[in-house]
């Protein structure tokens, strides 16, 4: 009995995803075909079509899973301890200083190796 219910839900999900694809394709193609129409009207139409397609997509099993994932991700982001402005600036300056020092070291090594190669080849 569960298998039969799952297959019916799965086939209904396929129909919903097909409808989403048709809506999105219609929005994109319609935007191209009616290029002489007002930009505002076309923009509102495309946004409305995308909103309806998104609503339909959220009614599928994968859409519901994506919504649950987004909510869990939002909860996890609230748990993050973000650095203060001063900590971010200090870290940025440390990275810039380390990059500068490494660039100078590599430049010096390049100059030394160039002189060695010039000495060996006699150029």
């Amino acid at each position: 009995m569960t298998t039969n219910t799952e297959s019916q839900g799965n086939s209904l999900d396929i129909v919903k995803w097909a409808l989403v694809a048709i809506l999105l394709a219609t929005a994109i193609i319609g935007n191209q075909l009616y290029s002489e129409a007002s930009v505002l009207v076309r923009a509102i139409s495309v946004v409305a079509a995308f909103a309806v397609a998104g609503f339909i997509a959220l009614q599928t099993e994968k859409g519901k899973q994506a919504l649950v994932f987004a909510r869990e991700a939002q909860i996890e982001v609230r748990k993050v301890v973000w650095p203060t402005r001063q900590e971010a600036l200090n870290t940025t300056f440390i990275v810039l200083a380390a990059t500068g020092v490494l660039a100078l070291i590599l430049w010096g090594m390049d100059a030394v190796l160039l002189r060695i190669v010039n000495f060996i080849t006699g150029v």
Side-chain angles (χ1 to χ4, degrees), residues 64-80:
K64 290 175 186 174
Q65 289 175 0
L67 192 59
V68 168
F69 176 77
R71 286 182 182 149
E72 290 174 357
Q74 186 180 19
I75 291 169
E76 290 300 320
V77 167
R78 287 187 200 142
K79 294 179 184 177
V80 172

Side-chain angles (χ1 to χ4, degrees), residues 1-118:
M1 178 123 164
T2 305
T3 306
N4 190 18
T5 305
E6 287 177 7
S7 66
Q8 287 176 349
N10 190 18
S11 64
L12 189 58
D13 277 358
I14 291 171
V15 171
K16 289 177 184 177
W17 283 115
L19 185 60
V20 166
I22 291 169
L23 274 171
L24 295 178
T26 303
I28 293 168
I29 293 169
N31 189 35
Q32 290 293 324
L33 289 178
Y34 295 106
S35 60
E36 70 278 353
S38 168
V39 174
L40 179 63
V41 171
R42 288 188 300 147
I44 290 172
S45 301
V46 169
V47 169
F50 272 69
V52 170
F55 178 75
I56 293 171
L58 286 176
Q59 304 307 312
T60 64
E61 189 62 37
K62 289 289 184 186
K64 290 175 186 174
Q65 289 175 0
L67 192 59
V68 168
F69 176 77
R71 286 182 182 149
E72 290 174 357
Q74 186 180 19
I75 291 169
E76 290 300 320
V77 167
R78 287 187 200 142
K79 294 179 184 177
V80 172
V81 178
W82 298 100
T84 64
R85 179 176 175 84
Q86 190 60 43
E87 290 172 337
L89 284 174
N90 289 344
T91 304
T92 302
F93 290 138
I94 289 170
V95 168
L96 288 174
T99 303
V101 169
L102 189 60
L104 288 174
I105 290 171
L106 290 174
W107 174 71
M109 288 176 58
D110 181 53
V112 169
L113 290 172
L114 179 65
R115 293 197 196 284
I116 291 171
V117 169
N118 284 341

